[in-house]
Amino acid sequence: MTAEIINGKEIAAKKRQEIGKEVEKLKEKGVVPGLAVILVGNNDASRTYVRNKQKACQELGMHSVLIEMPEEVSEEELLAKIDELNHASEIHGILVQLPIPKHIDEKKVIESISPSKDVDGFHPVNIGRMMTGQNAFLPCTPYGIMVLLEETGISPAGKHVVVVGRSNIVGKPVGQLMLNHNATVTYCHSKTKDLKQYTKQADIVVSAVGIANFIKADHIKEGAVVIDVGMNRNEAGKLCGDVDFEEVKEKAGYITPVPKGVGPMTITMLMYNTVKSAAESINR
Ligand code: L34
């Protein structure tokens, strides 16, 4: 079987058109959705992702501010900046691009963002709301994966989803969203013994481990859906996912490429959440 390639860039473009219409409606009501991104230090990959986020804001006619802070910035200074943004009426979404330097407590930073502006969906309040099925900002990468599946006509209901990776940003929440959509979910991670035994049973595999060419054809059941969340660089410095694409695409039913797979959807759902926050700010 040769897999159908899920074109994340194309689906993202379609979704962004819909979001653009919402932006126009809000502008008619006098509200311009605004996103503030804080970038700490000098990580080239982070810089690229943040640039893509700003570009998306511009294309949708949204307000965006980038706050750059040096690697040595103190935790107090970062928290003070977040507090300022929590109170800024023209800002509806606040995002601190991860990773941040080790001397700053990441959990403390995330908890300092107002849940009503936490467009990343990383605040424990939003995570709890997601888990209990209440109105919440859903984390952008997991949400983007759900939309990719929906747009491709794949329902997780009744399917066995195997998530490889258990980060707070991707692995844990994507399993939760799949569960909310009636999938049967198995979580695997670096301590899992005999990973293949699990992944081979999966109707849908979501890989978020951060190791290039980690998932091979013999991990995958014939015809399975393979979602690659990896953003790795190979020996040649080329961007690649967790999945050995050339090999796995001959066996899978559907596969997402890297780039132009999950990445553009992450940014799209960030735009969606920011517009949602702006709309909700009207009634507060
Ligand atoms: N706070 N930190 C916070 N929120 C996030 O949602 C993120 N993430 C992850 C890293 N840190 C974060 C992102 O934004 C990963 N991520 C992200 C976003 C966009 C892209 C990749 C990762 C992206 O634009 N990918 C392009 C290719 C980019 C390139 O050429 O390097 C793609 O087509 O996949």
Side-chain angles (χ1 to χ4, degrees):
M1 180 169 219
T2 302
E4 182 174 316
I5 294 166
I6 300 178
N7 189 333
K9 201 173 176 194
E10 218 169 85
I11 295 171
K14 181 185 159 195
K15 283 284 155 190
R16 285 185 205 186
Q17 277 201 339
E18 294 170 20
I19 296 166
K21 288 187 189 130
E22 292 306 313
V23 173
E24 290 313 313
K25 281 189 208 160
L26 285 167
K27 281 184 167 175
E28 280 164 23
K29 293 180 187 162
V31 178
V32 183
L35 174 69
V37 176
I38 303 178
L39 177 59
V40 183
N42 241 322
N43 178 320
D44 280 342
S46 293
R47 198 164 283 283
T48 303
Y49 307 153
V50 166
R51 199 186 311 121
N52 289 348
K53 290 172 185 186
Q54 286 190 288
K55 202 167 139 235
C57 281
Q58 271 159 22
E59 283 168 7
L60 292 175
M62 292 163 54
H63 174 56
S64 102
V65 280
L66 172 62
I67 295 130
E68 295 190 64
M69 295 183 143
E71 184 81 22
E72 322 76 58
V73 72
S74 68
E75 188 177 284
E76 290 75 12
E77 271 180 89
L78 177 55
L79 293 176
K81 179 47 88 176
I82 292 169
D83 187 56
E84 181 190 317
L85 295 167
N86 279 339
H87 292 96
S89 60
E90 77 284 5
I91 297 299
H92 306 99
I94 304 169
L95 177 157
V96 179
Q97 187 71 19
L98 301 177
I100 52 176
K102 300 244 181 312
H103 68 274
I104 302 174
D105 182 344
E106 183 182 298
K107 290 194 168 68
K108 203 165 160 185
V109 168
I110 289 171
E111 288 209 294
S112 75
I113 297 171
S114 165
S116 66
K117 295 191 180 185
D118 168 41
V119 287
D120 258 334
F122 292 169
H123 193 289
V125 164
N126 280 310
I127 295 170
R129 286 171 173 243
M130 171 188 70
M131 288 196 76
T132 50
Q134 300 176 73
N135 179 37
F137 291 117
L138 302 179
C140 301
T141 299
Y143 196 8
I145 292 169
M146 302 312 287
V147 174
L148 272 185
L149 292 179
E150 190 186 342
E151 289 292 318
T152 310
I154 299 164
S155 165
K159 304 268 168 66
H160 184 193
V161 175
V162 174
V163 179
V164 190
R166 53 172 158 176
S167 70
N168 290 329
I169 304 188
V170 183
K172 282 188 220 169
V174 80
Q176 181 66 50
L177 290 182
M178 293 287 184
L179 180 65
N180 290 356
H181 284 82
N182 300 316
T184 302
V185 180
T186 300
Y187 286 98
C188 298
H189 46 77
S190 55
K191 300 286 192 296
T192 298
K193 288 181 186 144
D194 191 11
L195 175 68
K196 270 179 207 161
Q197 173 203 333
Y198 300 99
T199 55
K200 279 173 86 119
Q201 295 179 41
D203 302 307
I204 302 174
V205 175
V206 180
S207 181
V209 290
I211 303 170
N213 294 325
F214 185 72
I215 301 289
K216 300 280 190 185
D218 62 356
H219 285 89
I220 300 297
K221 180 171 78 176
E222 187 83 31
V225 178
V226 180
I227 305 293
D228 190 351
V229 190
M231 283 284 151
N232 313 301
R233 304 267 156 190
N234 69 10
E235 314 80 50
K238 186 171 164 270
L239 184 68
C240 56
D242 292 344
V243 177
D244 188 329
F245 185 82
E246 290 308 317
E247 201 177 293
V248 173
K249 82 174 187 331
E250 300 305 326
K251 196 172 182 187
Y254 294 86
I255 188 168
T256 63
V258 177
K260 298 185 170 61
V262 172
M265 291 305 294
T266 296
I267 293 176
T268 302
M269 301 329 287
L270 176 65
M271 301 299 115
Y272 177 91
N273 281 347
T274 305
V275 171
K276 172 179 158 71
S277 178
E280 288 173 358
S281 77
I282 294 174
N283 304 316
R284 251 198 307 273

